[in-house]
Amino acid sequence: EITLQAPDLVRRMIVDGAGPRGGQGMELIAQATGRLFGAHPHDPPESVWLAVKFSPSAAGQAAGREYLKRTHLRQEGRDPEVNDKVSPAQVEAIRNWGVQKEGSDDYLKTIKQPTLIVNGSNDVNIPTVNSFIMQQNMPYAELIIYPDSNHGAHHQYPELFVEHATLFLNA
């Protein structure tokens, strides 16, 4: 949104695990989110991220457990945890964002900044095809799809993601 409203403030952009306004299957995100987060209690609670961000394969789940360990390394200056007070507002915003309308992705053609789009091969939150749709409609976008991964591909392949992001930002 900043890129659209104040393009002079953005030199390069990295879009990770996202989709365009009104993208394919985006109207179903709220339902998918409800299934993923509300399906059953998670013990410990942060293990919900194993299903939401990582593939169900042994390698994906192992990467997820490593991610959970990393999230607890920094104890000070952490963002507050998402809670039930903010979740309904986020789900409603996602629902509104996902509504398909004629020409809803036309705005993508106006984004002139070099853009790196990154996603997992099977994003269960925002269908992976939307990353391809964005790349096809943004004139200076490149796309990386990480294998055997979900919504948290950058967490599953952190070293590779940092390498790709660094190369992109330094280009």
Side-chain angles (χ1 to χ4, degrees), residues 1-5 7 10-15 20-21 97 105-117 134-135 137-141:
E1 197 58 34
I2 292 169
T3 304
L4 296 171
Q5 292 185 22
V10 180
R11 181 178 67 87
R12 291 178 168 273
M13 182 168 58
I14 298 176
V15 178
R21 186 181 309 129
W97 179 261
D105 60 2
D106 289 348
Y107 74 98
L108 294 171
K109 293 173 178 49
T110 69
I111 298 173
K112 305 298 185 203
Q113 289 79 355
T115 303
L116 176 63
I117 301 167
M134 287 192 301
Q135 187 273 326
N137 285 283
M138 296 169 72
Y140 303 101

Side-chain angles (χ1 to χ4, degrees), residues 111-148:
I111 298 173
K112 305 298 185 203
Q113 289 79 355
T115 303
L116 176 63
I117 301 167
V118 176
N119 206 343
S121 59
N122 187 29
D123 189 329
V124 298
N125 293 325
I126 299 174
T128 302
V129 68
N130 288 295
S131 295
F132 180 73
I133 290 168
M134 287 192 301
Q135 187 273 326
Q136 290 292 295
N137 285 283
M138 296 169 72
Y140 303 101
E142 55 187 279
L143 173 63
I144 298 175
I145 302 289
Y146 292 106
D148 183 37

Side-chain angles (χ1 to χ4, degrees), residues 59-128:
Q61 292 299 291
R65 287 188 294 279
E66 289 302 313
Y67 159 78
L68 290 175
K69 287 180 194 174
R70 288 192 308 272
T71 63
H72 296 314
L73 291 175
R74 187 174 80 193
Q75 295 299 312
E76 294 182 23
R78 292 174 53 100
D79 290 337
E81 294 292 327
V82 175
N83 59 48
D84 291 340
K85 292 179 182 177
V86 298
S87 296
Q90 182 178 7
V91 169
E92 183 62 23
I94 290 169
R95 182 180 294 118
N96 292 335
W97 179 261
V99 174
Q100 287 188 333
K101 298 176 185 167
E102 183 69 31
S104 60
D105 60 2
D106 289 348
Y107 74 98
L108 294 171
K109 293 173 178 49
T110 69
I111 298 173
K112 305 298 185 203
Q113 289 79 355
T115 303
L116 176 63
I117 301 167
V118 176
N119 206 343
S121 59
N122 187 29
D123 189 329
V124 298
N125 293 325
I126 299 174
T128 302

